[in-house]
Amino acid sequence: MTDRDTDHASHHHGFSDAFAEHLDREALLATDVTSGALDRAAAALDRPVRTALDLGAGTGPGTVALARRFPDAQVHSLDLSAELLDRLTSAAARAGVAGQVHPHPVDLDDDWTKLVPAGVDLVWASLSLHHVIDPALVLQRALSVLRPGGVLVVTEMSESIVLEPDDLGTGRPGLADRVTGGLAALGHPSTADWTVPLAKAGYVGAQRELTDLTVASDNTDGAAYLATQLSAWHNNLAQTLSSDDLIALKTAEREIRAGSSPVTQTTGRVVWIAVRPEVETRK
Ligand SMILES: C[S@@+](CC[C@H](N)C(=O)[O-])C[C@H]1O[C@@H](n2cnc3c(N)ncnc32)[C@H](O)[C@@H]1O
């Protein structure tokens, strides 16, 4: 899916079950990235986590991972969508962490700082910061609620996306490159580099780390995820690809769903771990 789909879904029509399931699957397939980011955050923290925030929490994979990793923490989960927060509440209950989780339906572009406790230990923003109108302001507000020594973790998609095989299993050479090229022209994967904005907002030690993430169609979740991607891209690229390529893309989607096509998508996740310094450094 592209950002356009996300914005469309969130701002105009509410979230479809299919979209929420896609978000869940995306998070499931990135479990290792999440646990690696939690390891790095835990290493950067000088005290146990009592309060954590999940900004743009969606269906709750970050919230649940935070609550599990830090059993003494209360996790405040902020999102524009009350529907997604309902799913988050159910996910927290299924994971046995409902008592630690506090959902807040809120627009991150408003001032949300009064809704959450002061002295936050850990702020988590996964695939959400690029959605807000003024990310610098959100970074500043997150800094203002963090305690000195508190840690911010930001995750985004990496810029590159590689699809294999070259014909996506359809016998049309170069189809994969034409799809990724068309998506790039539409600004997908949508991402941002937060290294400079983090320093400008007053964080220190903003370390950026890239992890590759490969999703393969040879397992149920990978196949369902990739088929949904291809279907959304078919719509996004309707004006870009030739009609033969569009037909081939539908064929690839069908074969992935049927379990008869060995397609992989390799992207990455970039994770920044940044700290609120003991002494203010904002430029
Ligand atoms: C791609 S999803 C990521 C969800 C979750 N963090 C994850 O990693 O699976 C982006 C989330 O940001 C939320 N979002 C976008 N703009 C927002 C805003 N202005 N205020 C609050 N939430 C917002 C959306 O509702 C959506 O749940």
Side-chain angles (χ1 to χ4, degrees), residues 3 6-7 10-11 15 19 23-24 26-27 34 54-62 78-81 84 106-110 124-133 155 157:
D3 243 38
T6 316
D7 289 342
S10 61
H11 295 308
F15 282 93
F19 180 73
L23 283 183
D24 275 340
E26 185 160 71
T34 302
D54 186 1
L55 303 182
T59 56
L78 282 55
D79 203 284
L80 201 54
S81 162
L84 291 184
V106 63
D107 188 338
L108 289 170
D109 288 310
D110 294 337
W124 182 267
S126 167
L127 308 180
S128 56
L129 198 53
H130 69 260
H131 284 290
V132 304
I133 292 168
T155 303
M157 306 267 181

Side-chain angles (χ1 to χ4, degrees), residues 238-279:
Q239 312 301 325
T240 310
L241 293 179
S242 69
S243 53
D244 284 348
D245 276 352
L246 287 168
I247 290 167
L249 201 52
K250 273 286 160 213
T251 305
E253 179 195 332
R254 251 195 327 274
E255 300 213 337
I256 288 171
R257 284 193 205 281
S260 53
S261 180
V263 169
T264 63
Q265 169 192 273
T266 300
T267 56
R269 293 280 191 276
V270 186
V271 178
W272 290 262
I273 307 282
V275 177
R276 174 174 175 175
E278 300 291 338
V279 178

Side-chain angles (χ1 to χ4, degrees), residues 27-241:
L28 179 75
L29 294 164
T31 302
D32 289 351
V33 180
T34 302
S35 63
L38 285 170
D39 290 343
R40 288 174 62 209
L45 281 158
D46 53 358
R47 272 188 262 152
V49 178
R50 301 260 172 224
T51 312
L53 303 187
D54 186 1
L55 303 182
T59 56
T63 293
V64 167
L66 286 162
R68 281 193 167 144
R69 176 65 65 105
F70 305 111
D72 295 328
Q74 298 300 311
V75 184
H76 294 262
S77 312
L78 282 55
D79 203 284
L80 201 54
S81 162
E83 280 168 83
L84 291 184
L85 288 176
D86 283 347
R87 287 187 168 255
L88 175 147
T89 303
S90 306
R94 279 197 305 277
V97 296
Q100 288 172 259
V101 171
H102 311 274
H104 302 272
V106 63
D107 188 338
L108 289 170
D109 288 310
D110 294 337
D111 186 0
W112 44 270
T113 55
K114 303 287 183 293
L115 295 174
V116 300
V120 172
D121 301 289
L122 180 56
V123 176
W124 182 267
S126 167
L127 308 180
S128 56
L129 198 53
H130 69 260
H131 284 290
V132 304
I133 292 168
D134 189 349
L137 186 56
V138 173
L139 289 176
Q140 265 175 41
R141 285 179 170 146
L143 188 87
S144 76
V145 298
L146 273 172
R147 65 167 172 80
V151 168
L152 168 70
V153 181
V154 182
T155 303
E156 293 288 356
M157 306 267 181
S158 70
E159 272 164 33
S160 97
I161 171 162
V162 176
L163 298 171
E164 287 170 312
D166 162 71
D167 64 354
L168 299 180
T170 64
R172 276 188 74 76
L175 178 62
D177 284 348
R178 290 192 292 282
V179 168
T180 51
L183 291 170
L186 295 175
H188 178 79
S190 121
T191 183
D193 187 344
W194 301 114
T195 312
V196 171
L198 282 165
K200 277 198 177 146
Y203 295 87
V204 291
Q207 299 164 43
R208 176 186 189 279
E209 203 171 287
L210 172 68
T211 310
D212 279 345
L213 186 60
T214 297
V215 177
S217 64
D218 65 358
N219 62 84
T220 313
D221 285 314
Y225 180 81
L226 289 174
T228 306
Q229 292 280 69
L230 260 55
S231 164
W233 294 342
H234 185 274
N235 293 340
N236 300 138
L237 298 173
Q239 312 301 325
T240 310
L241 293 179

